[in-house]
């Protein structure tokens, strides 16, 4: 029950993740001890962690970045209307960087399972374990992102070099938005109190007038391929 409560609690942290993993391990060990004398129960309980670990142990495969990018952008849009919660990272409440990491993590896990790609599974697990704020993403924390060497405001900058899923981080590092194609940007906006997709040219939003730097998720960066 505690593990379920942690999963439902929108605010994420390394301590909560560690608590969830520890609680899950202790629960499994307790069930294993209780069921050890019953062979069917013992076999099932021993098989569970092996089955859960198997997708993460598969070899990495060549990555279809276009497919992954499309899935990522669709998952960003699926959060439309989700309430803004600082530090949040799920459908019950989410913040600006949590939105981008959670959507990419979902896309990585989905892609990894569909293509039996252990590299995607491990990348998604790493993204789940390590927090990354808007500022950290701009600074290339854990090599998650690469800079696009473009700076300006969303309202006035050229979009020709952008690909769906690219990130705009305010130069003070307090907010991050995702480009989702055309002239649209998706964000968990603390001022609106919700996740919203708006036109960066024609719609009014204070973040569109703020100076930003542009970045791309390294796993989606196909410029060198």
């Amino acid at each position: 029950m505690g593990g379920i409560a942690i999963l439902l609690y929108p605010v994420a942290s390394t301590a909560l993740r560690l608590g969830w993993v520890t609680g899950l391990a202790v629960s499994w060990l307790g069930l294993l001890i209780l069921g050890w004398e019953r062979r069917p129960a013992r076999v099932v309980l021993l098989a569970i962690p092996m089955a859960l670990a198997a997708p993460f142990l598969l070899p990495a495969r060549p990555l279809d970045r276009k497919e992954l990018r499309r899935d990522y952008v669709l998952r960003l849009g699926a959060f439309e209307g989700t309430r803004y919660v600082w530090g949040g990272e799920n459908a019950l409440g989410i913040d600006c960087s949590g939105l981008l990491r959670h959507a990419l993590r979902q896309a990585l896990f989905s892609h990894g399972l569909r293509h039996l790609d252990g590299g995607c599974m491990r990348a998604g697990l790493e993204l789940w374990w390590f927090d990354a704020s808007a500022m950290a993403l701009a600074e290339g924390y854990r090599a998650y992102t690469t800079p696009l060497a473009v700076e300006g405001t969303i309202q006035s900058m050229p979009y020709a070099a952008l690909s769906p899923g690219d990130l705009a981080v305010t130069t003070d590092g307090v907010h991050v938005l995702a480009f989702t194609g055309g002239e649209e940007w998706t964000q968990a906006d603390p001022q609106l109190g919700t996740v919203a997709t708006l036109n960066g040219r024609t719609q009014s939003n204070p973040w569109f007038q703020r100076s930003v730097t542009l970045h791309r998720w390294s796993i989606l960066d196909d410029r060198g391929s």
Side-chain angles (χ1 to χ4, degrees):
M1 290 179 65
I4 293 172
I6 290 174
L7 284 177
L8 293 177
Y9 184 57
V11 178
S13 70
T14 300
L16 285 175
R17 293 185 185 95
L18 183 60
W20 183 81
V21 172
T22 302
L24 191 64
V26 169
S27 299
W28 173 81
L29 183 60
L31 289 172
L32 184 63
I33 292 171
L34 290 173
W36 187 258
E37 298 301 325
R38 300 178 181 179
R39 180 179 173 80
R42 182 169 73 244
V43 171
V44 169
L45 287 167
L46 288 173
I48 287 174
M50 290 187 287
L52 293 175
F56 298 93
L57 300 177
L58 293 169
R61 295 179 178 272
L63 182 61
D64 186 340
R65 289 186 172 86
K66 289 183 178 179
E67 180 185 337
L68 180 61
R69 183 181 291 111
R70 286 195 301 269
D71 192 15
Y72 170 50
V73 172
L74 286 173
R75 291 176 186 276
L76 283 171
F79 280 92
E80 188 85 11
T82 301
R83 68 183 179 123
Y84 178 91
V85 173
W86 186 85
E89 205 173 307
N90 64 36
L92 297 179
I94 205 158
D95 70 3
C96 63
S97 61
L99 169 66
L100 309 185
R101 288 184 288 108
H102 188 84
L104 181 58
R105 185 167 69 240
Q106 287 182 322
L108 284 167
F109 285 145
S110 177
H111 192 93
L113 290 173
R114 285 198 309 274
H115 297 278
L116 300 179
D117 185 346
C120 272
M121 298 297 293
R122 291 187 288 275
L125 184 63
E126 179 184 351
L127 203 59
W128 174 72
W129 185 257
F130 292 101
D131 288 322
S133 66
M135 182 174 289
L137 291 174
E139 293 172 347
Y141 173 66
R142 299 188 64 82
Y144 284 152
T145 63
T146 55
L148 294 179
V150 178
E151 187 171 347
T153 68
I154 287 174
Q155 191 172 61
S156 62
M157 68 170 52
Y159 292 174
L162 292 180
S163 294
D166 286 348
L167 314 178
V169 184
T170 57
T171 52
D172 57 7
V174 302
H175 192 57
V176 58
L177 310 86
F179 178 67
T180 49
E183 296 180 345
E184 293 190 332
W185 296 79
T186 298
Q187 60 175 318
D189 190 337
Q191 298 183 22
L192 294 175
T194 188
V195 175
T197 299
L198 302 172
N199 187 298
R201 299 288 196 214
T202 63
Q203 291 183 273
S204 177
N205 186 273
W207 300 110
F208 295 162
Q209 283 82 50
R210 297 280 290 271
S211 179
V212 298
T213 56
L214 299 184
H215 308 266
R216 180 168 296 163
W217 289 107
S218 297
I219 201 165
L220 297 178
D221 194 352
D222 54 4
R223 288 175 294 176
S225 59

